[in-house]
Amino acid sequence: MQKGNIGVTTENIFPIIKKFLYSDHEIFLRELVSNAVDATQKLNTLSSVGEFKGELGNLTVRVTLGQDTITISDRGIGLTGEEIDKYINQIAFSGANDFLEKYKNDANAIIGHFGLGFYSSFMVSKKVEIITKSYKEGAQAVKWSCDGSPEFTLEEVEKEDRGTDIVLYIDDDCKEFLEEARIAALLKKYCSFLPVSVAFGKKKEWKDGAQVETSEDNIINQTAPLWTRKPSELSDEDYKKFYHDLYPMSDEPLFWIHLNVDYPFNLTGILYFPKVKSNVELNKNKIQLYCNQVYVTDSVEGIVPDFLTLLHGVIDSPDIPLNVSRSYLQSDSNVKKISTYITKKVSDRLQSIYKNNRSQFEEKWNDLKIFINYGMLTQEDFYEKVSKFALFTDTDSKHYTYEEYQTLIKENQTDKDGNLIYLYANNKDEQFSYIEAAVNKGYNVLLMDGQLDVAMISMLEQKLEKSRFTRVDGDVVDHLIAKEDKKANALEADKQEMLSVAFKSQLPKVEKVEFNVMAQALGENSAPVLITQSEYMRRMKEMANIQAGMSFYGEMPDMFNLVLNADHKLVKQVLADEEKACAADVVPLKLSIDDATKRRDELKKKQEGKKDEEVSTAEKDELNELVEKLDELKMKKDSLFIAYAAQNKVIRQLIDLALLQNNMLKGEALNNFVKRSIELI
């Protein structure tokens, strides 16, 4: 029996392994089962080239739970005593402190770097034994044992069969790994597609109301998963079944892409386009990354472009090391090539569906557009590829490519400055009357109700020449597309003022909402009152919801225009009644305002060009008194209009109808509207 110290230059390698080396304790099982599979595949290779002439027999790798042990057994090439000494006992570190300092932030990188897969066993074990016998003729079986200190023992033992058993004596603080369900879950996560059969216990069946073990091995993996097979051998049903094996609760995928390339890097896999309802984030990180059928991670940022992290499926590449680190992924040239290749494959697949079956492409557009829009927004080369077949959808559910749509609207939706105006709605029901008004005028209205459409609009205004997007409720229909310079106001200033003060006074108080009231000539057949919202301010607020650094727009109040149609008989009637009711009090006030304004303007003109000290105190005082007097007179005049408005039910009814049409009438205000409607009827 040989005793010795593991070849490290420090006493505390094991605490380092336990605490720092592996960021996730559960990967010990992946490492040890992968090693067993490697040993088995090596024997297969030796047999195929004639270097091993014995019977291969059953090569299943077995994971067995004892009372306080986990054993991983294989019938692979095994190890000699010399090989144990070389591969297990000689861990050459320059010193624990240097090691810790260098790798403390990137523990995962070390495993691959130092080939330390076996040592992950000490994260969960107080003692580890290796009982092994080499495939070589006449080899002596040996047992290596270590209790988590640098001391080990190595002795000759009897072992009938070639291969290796690794026995882990599980630590008291890791007893969870002795639970059958926990190990079954880890094997499913990491080992589902290993290329050699892995058995965990026996299959169970129901007998007399209880589950009993059968004599059949419980094989936990598919050794030849779908992505390792040729597409020509597979049916649509095979692809769908595999998708449901990976994501049991998901809807059927839209379609898939089978990846298979062996130059300039090795890559296989299947990527699925899932149905995405709304939340982008919830559907990220569903692509599983494998290295030679060994599960690595489902955090694939850096390997696939950001927008394709929305896809589901599997990527397998031996060119990405098993123990992969973030920094490695960001700097590795193979990874960059893989990313470019996947982007190209996706855009080619989308284009082929568009070209070969446009109606199918249009049917799936609502589900596809989140991927395509996300890609166009985040990757310039993807925009260039797909902008030829990306689609707009109008409010009649018709689809157009960007080029087709420009042709459709060019004649009727070009403004006086030569800009192409794209009108859009983001809610067909809420904006129905605005859409109808635009369509009646011969305009086409796009439906842009996707969660990325706000960002798409901003990008397309930069990409598409002389183009501007305007929401259909951004202005009254006659002003949405300015064909000529705006005419002067429909009403004289004092009449504008009478109406705006009266209507503004009756607007309900809505939190974080401000209204600007104005009168415009909209034609006697248009609605008496309309609510519009500035395209710029609304878009800034919408962008604030999805873009960091714009939150100050989100805090600003919503700004709406309440537009009174000066041509409508109801508004005309309100104005005539208001003039009549307020005339006796307003006329003398107006004379006083005119006199005070005239004197104020004279004083201001007199003081023009003078320094402050050159103006007499008397003149300064008189000017201040006039300003105060004008404020007071205006308040008196406004109070007359407000008093009139308070008892005019038509004003409040017209306001509430406009608010109701925009889904802005709620609570007490809605209740009052219903009562008033009944009274008026």
Side-chain angles (χ1 to χ4, degrees), residues 191-385:
C191 307
S192 278
F193 303 110
L194 286 172
V196 171
S197 293
V198 178
F200 179 49
K202 299 292 181 184
K203 281 195 173 170
K204 293 177 180 175
E205 64 181 22
W206 284 96
K207 205 169 187 180
D208 302 328
Q211 274 204 323
V212 291
E213 281 193 353
T214 65
S215 58
E216 190 184 346
D217 282 340
N218 177 37
I219 303 296
I220 57 91
N221 58 323
Q222 298 175 38
T223 55
L226 222 62
W227 74 84
T228 64
R229 294 162 60 189
K230 291 178 183 153
S232 57
E233 300 171 359
L234 302 169
S235 68
D236 286 0
E237 289 312 309
D238 292 327
Y239 285 109
K240 288 175 188 174
K241 183 184 179 302
F242 184 60
Y243 183 77
H244 288 300
D245 288 346
L246 291 172
Y247 315 104
M249 304 305 288
S250 295
D251 291 339
E252 213 162 81
L254 298 170
F255 57 86
W256 47 86
I257 300 167
H258 198 131
L259 306 166
N260 194 348
V261 64
D262 51 20
Y263 182 82
F265 46 80
N266 283 291
L267 178 78
T268 52
I270 301 167
L271 291 179
Y272 291 90
F273 278 73
K275 280 193 175 175
V276 174
K277 293 294 177 277
S278 61
N279 194 316
V280 177
E281 290 305 315
L282 282 178
N283 290 283
K284 279 192 168 190
N285 293 331
K286 290 291 185 77
I287 296 177
Q288 299 175 7
L289 177 66
Y290 288 78
C291 172
N292 289 326
Q293 296 174 230
V294 181
Y295 175 84
V296 180
T297 181
D298 60 5
S299 181
V300 294
E301 291 95 333
I303 301 161
V304 303
D306 190 45
F307 75 100
L308 292 181
T309 57
L310 295 176
L311 300 187
H312 295 180
V314 169
I315 294 171
D316 190 336
S317 176
D319 292 329
I320 296 172
L322 183 59
N323 300 294
V324 74
S325 71
R326 291 291 119 221
S327 56
Y328 171 89
L329 286 179
Q330 283 153 14
S331 61
D332 185 71
S333 61
N334 270 333
V335 170
K336 288 193 175 84
K337 286 177 195 161
I338 287 170
S339 176
T340 306
Y341 168 79
I342 291 171
T343 303
K344 184 178 183 309
K345 282 291 281 187
V346 168
S347 57
D348 288 351
R349 178 81 166 100
L350 289 167
Q351 186 167 19
S352 76
I353 293 173
Y354 168 76
K355 278 186 172 172
N356 299 327
N357 193 340
R358 175 155 174 176
S359 61
Q360 186 198 24
F361 188 78
E362 288 183 358
E363 270 172 43
K364 293 181 174 177
W365 175 251
N366 276 344
D367 294 304
L368 282 177
K369 79 172 192 177
I370 196 159
F371 302 104
I372 293 176
N373 288 355
Y374 193 14
M376 292 167 91
L377 286 163
T378 54
Q379 213 156 304
E380 183 67 34
D381 60 341
F382 189 73
Y383 175 87
E384 297 304 326
K385 287 188 178 88

Side-chain angles (χ1 to χ4, degrees), residues 31 109 113 117 180 200-201 342 394-395 414 468 524 554 564 584 641 643:
E31 297 295 320
H113 191 86
E180 188 178 335
F200 179 49
I342 291 171
D394 71 10
T395 50
T414 301
R468 203 171 73 247
E524 58 187 28
L564 310 175
F641 301 148

Side-chain angles (χ1 to χ4, degrees), residues 511-533:
E511 195 180 345
K512 288 185 81 173
V513 171
E514 286 183 15
F515 287 95
N516 174 40
V517 181
M518 62 179 76
Q520 291 181 2
L522 306 177
E524 58 187 28
N525 294 322
S526 293
V529 182
L530 278 172
I531 292 174
T532 64
Q533 188 179 20

Side-chain angles (χ1 to χ4, degrees), residues 323-582:
N323 300 294
V324 74
S325 71
R326 291 291 119 221
S327 56
Y328 171 89
L329 286 179
Q330 283 153 14
S331 61
D332 185 71
S333 61
N334 270 333
V335 170
K336 288 193 175 84
K337 286 177 195 161
I338 287 170
S339 176
T340 306
Y341 168 79
I342 291 171
T343 303
K344 184 178 183 309
K345 282 291 281 187
V346 168
S347 57
D348 288 351
R349 178 81 166 100
L350 289 167
Q351 186 167 19
S352 76
I353 293 173
Y354 168 76
K355 278 186 172 172
N356 299 327
N357 193 340
R358 175 155 174 176
S359 61
Q360 186 198 24
F361 188 78
E362 288 183 358
E363 270 172 43
K364 293 181 174 177
W365 175 251
N366 276 344
D367 294 304
L368 282 177
K369 79 172 192 177
I370 196 159
F371 302 104
I372 293 176
N373 288 355
Y374 193 14
M376 292 167 91
L377 286 163
T378 54
Q379 213 156 304
E380 183 67 34
D381 60 341
F382 189 73
Y383 175 87
E384 297 304 326
K385 287 188 178 88
V386 303
S387 58
K388 312 283 186 295
F389 56 85
L391 300 178
F392 285 133
T393 308
D394 71 10
T395 50
D396 289 329
S397 302
K398 289 181 183 160
H399 298 284
Y400 309 88
T401 64
Y402 294 172
E403 198 175 321
E404 288 166 353
Y405 196 70
Q406 284 176 330
T407 306
L408 177 79
I409 65 170
K410 191 165 189 177
E411 190 177 337
N412 209 21
Q413 290 179 216
T414 301
D415 73 5
K416 63 186 177 65
D417 300 318
N419 295 307
L420 207 55
I421 307 300
Y422 294 73
L423 299 178
Y424 71 95
N426 66 354
N427 189 308
K428 265 170 80 170
D429 293 334
E430 287 179 12
Q431 290 148 18
F432 177 82
S433 60
Y434 298 94
I435 296 166
E436 188 180 46
V439 170
N440 288 343
K441 206 165 172 65
Y443 299 152
N444 185 278
V445 181
L446 294 173
L447 182 63
M448 302 197 80
D449 57 355
Q451 68 187 108
L452 296 177
D453 281 340
V454 179
M456 281 298 292
I457 285 166
S458 295
M459 181 188 75
L460 289 170
E461 283 183 331
Q462 294 168 19
K463 297 274 190 192
L464 304 173
E465 202 176 326
K466 291 203 81 172
S467 294
R468 203 171 73 247
F469 284 73
T470 299
R471 204 166 89 177
V472 74
D473 58 351
D475 208 333
V476 296
V477 70
D478 287 340
H479 298 163
L480 282 172
I481 302 173
K483 305 282 189 174
E484 54 193 42
D485 291 323
K486 279 190 181 178
K487 295 170 187 165
N489 277 330
L491 294 173
E492 300 137 39
D494 59 339
K495 292 185 178 183
Q496 279 264 6
E497 185 186 21
M498 285 180 86
L499 276 176
S500 64
V501 171
F503 274 82
K504 190 158 192 172
S505 71
Q506 298 308 300
L507 279 161
K509 296 283 179 282
V510 183
E511 195 180 345
K512 288 185 81 173
V513 171
E514 286 183 15
F515 287 95
N516 174 40
V517 181
M518 62 179 76
Q520 291 181 2
L522 306 177
E524 58 187 28
N525 294 322
S526 293
V529 182
L530 278 172
I531 292 174
T532 64
Q533 188 179 20
S534 147
E535 175 74 15
Y536 174 78
M537 278 308 297
R538 189 194 59 251
R539 206 185 295 179
M540 289 301 105
K541 284 180 74 71
E542 286 171 347
M543 287 296 286
N545 294 329
I546 60 171
Q547 196 167 320
M550 292 186 70
S551 57
F552 64 99
Y553 281 110
E555 295 307 309
M556 291 175 77
D558 285 318
M559 309 287 288
F560 292 95
N561 296 318
L562 188 82
V563 185
L564 310 175
N565 180 5
D567 291 334
H568 197 281
K569 64 180 182 181
L570 286 172
V571 176
K572 283 179 173 176
Q573 187 64 53
V574 167
L575 180 59
D577 289 351
E578 187 176 0
E579 284 180 308
K580 189 176 172 185
C582 300

Side-chain angles (χ1 to χ4, degrees), residues 503 506-508 529 531 562 649-666 668-674 676-677:
F503 274 82
Q506 298 308 300
L507 279 161
V529 182
I531 292 174
L562 188 82
K649 289 181 179 175
V650 174
I651 290 177
R652 193 58 198 259
Q653 195 73 354
L654 289 173
I655 289 169
D656 285 354
L657 282 167
L659 291 168
L660 187 67
Q661 193 176 26
N662 287 270
N663 200 29
M664 294 168 74
L665 193 66
K666 294 185 169 76
E668 188 184 357
L670 179 59
N671 194 41
N672 291 341
F673 167 74
V674 173
R676 194 185 321 110
S677 298

